[in-house]
């Protein structure tokens, strides 16, 4: 899609300067969409605003179906000055699949992502907490 790369670069530049872009309204105008806008100007090829949403399923068991999991949005704490890196689990059809990986940095001034009873997410701050990025 032409024009997306410059918009993403502009977004990163604005985020590193501390500019906060408000959430775009829903298509029906009833309220804000979840997440943070990642494209400042929508292209003619896109149906509407493009937002980034990062969520955790605290306390979810990865061996159970995802349907009953409760997702908690943490998008406001994602540090956009650093990149979000996503690696797919299979590089091609002949490779053995590996787990997919995502790496990002969270602002933890509130202690919400710290290990220990002072965290509101205790005892769920640990490895293998399901994360959803959309």
């Amino acid at each position: 899609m032409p024009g997306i790369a410059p918009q993403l670069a502009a977004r990163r530049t604005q985020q590193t300067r501390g500019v906060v872009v408000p959430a775009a309204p829903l298509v029906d105008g009833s309220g804000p969409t979840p997440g943070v806008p990642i494209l400042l100007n929508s292209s003619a090829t896109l149906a509407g605003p493009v937002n980034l949403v990062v969520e955790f399923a605290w306390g979810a068991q990865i061996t159970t179906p995802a349907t009953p999991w409760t997702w908690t949005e943490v998008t406001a704490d994602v540090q956009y000055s650093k990149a979000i890196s996503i690696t797919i689990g299979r590089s091609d059809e002949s490779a053995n699949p590996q787990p997919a990986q995502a790496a990002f940095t969270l602002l933890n001034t509130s202690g919400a992502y710290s290990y220990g009873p002072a965290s509101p997410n205790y005892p769920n701050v640990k490895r293998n907490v399901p994360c959803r990025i959309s």
Side-chain angles (χ1 to χ4, degrees):
M1 289 180 230
I4 290 180
Q7 291 176 33
L8 286 173
R11 176 68 177 164
R12 278 193 212 107
T13 301
Q14 286 186 341
Q15 283 297 331
T16 58
R17 292 183 184 156
V19 175
V20 177
V21 178
L26 291 173
V27 175
D28 65 1
S30 64
T33 57
V36 175
I38 59 173
L39 294 180
L40 299 178
N41 300 318
S42 62
S43 167
T45 59
L46 301 174
V50 178
N51 285 1
L52 171 75
V53 180
V54 180
E55 300 167 295
F56 286 127
W58 298 114
Q61 298 296 321
I62 60 174
T63 57
T64 63
T67 307
W69 294 354
T70 301
W71 293 96
T72 303
E73 185 179 349
V74 298
T75 310
D77 292 332
V78 174
Q79 297 296 290
Y80 300 102
S81 59
K82 306 201 189 297
I84 294 179
S85 170
I86 300 174
T87 306
I88 61 171
R90 183 182 294 227
S91 58
D92 59 50
E93 298 85 29
S94 64
N96 288 332
Q98 297 297 317
Q101 296 180 8
F104 52 89
T105 303
L106 292 172
L107 178 65
N108 192 26
T109 55
S110 66
Y113 314 112
S114 298
Y115 182 77
S119 171
N121 298 307
Y122 177 80
N124 299 313
V125 179
K126 57 187 176 185
R127 289 182 182 265
N128 297 322
V129 172
C131 176
R132 176 167 73 179
I133 300 173
S134 56

